[in-house]
Structures are given as structure tokens and as C-alpha cells.
Amino acid sequence: MNMETSQLMAAARHFTLQLSSTRRGARLARLLAVEQLCSWDLGAVAEPVAQIVAELANNAVTHGHVSGRDFRLRVIVTGAAVRIEVTDTQGDHMPLVEDPEEAGETGRGMLIVEALALRWGAERGPAPQKTVWAELALPEADPVRAAGVRAALSRGAGAGVAAPRGAASRCGAT
């Protein structure tokens, strides 16, 4: 961990957990990330974070799986943004944004992440790992972007993509 990362972690709220590289692990990543945001009173970003965690965790399980190895979820909240990081053990398989016309039935996950996040990226290392990350502005930090994220989710975040099941019940809302 470099000095800049250490300073960020000291000034931020963070949540990290290791999960099995299975569909159940991916589902737990989404649910636990939302629960953590709710405990931090950040329900306003629960929907886009849930969708991004679901996509990144699913990619880790589907494309980054190595038998017997887990993936790691980290959620970091600074004063202005939420950063989601998913680390798996397939550093040689970097994520791609595919053309939806050519993607067929699958391959739209990173398009969803790109649509919801302010920015995203992937970093190799330490070997054999890679970390795929995405950042969202907190509503207080960027009200225009937050309104756009809410509008995208209400439209289904793009063609053929539905908001996550249980969307109305995040953080105790009815």
C-alpha cells in the first residue's frame, strides 16, 4: 500500500471483505455493500452502487475465477465519492467495454458500469491479481450527476437492463 492510498484510507470510511468466487459470493457482495452504505446513511447511492458491485462481482466470478481462490470487495467513501473495487486472481484478463450490437446476450456489464460511474478502470497486480474499480460522486458532491444516475436507474440503466430486484426497499424505504 503506497502513502497516497494509506492517507485515503485514513480519511475515508471503508469496507472490505473476501468472498468465495461463486454466484452466491457475488450476490452477497451486492447485498453487503448496500447494507454497509445504509449503515453509513448513504442510501442515496445504494442503487447505482448495488448495480456496479453486481456487475464487477459477477465479472470476477465469471472471468476472474481461479479454483480455490476468492475475490475481494472494497467500498471506500471519501467526502466526495464512493469507490468500489473488486479484486480477483486473473490479472491477465482485463475488462472490456463491448459494442452492444455485437455483444449478444451477454457482455454488457462494463457498459452498465460506464453509464453509472463517473469513471472506472482496471489495474494489474500484485501478480496474479487485478482490481477493477469504479467511482460515483456522492449526491452532495455532484447533484447534477446524481440526478442523472437516478434517471438512468428509473429507465433501467440502458436498453434491456432492469433495476435490481428489491430496488424500492433499499435502506428501509417502502
Side-chain angles (χ1 to χ4, degrees), residues 113-119 135 137 142-150:
V113 170
E114 190 170 73
L116 294 173
L118 285 174
R119 59 191 190 120
E135 295 178 352
D142 188 353
V144 173
R145 176 69 180 164
V149 167
R150 284 191 298 275

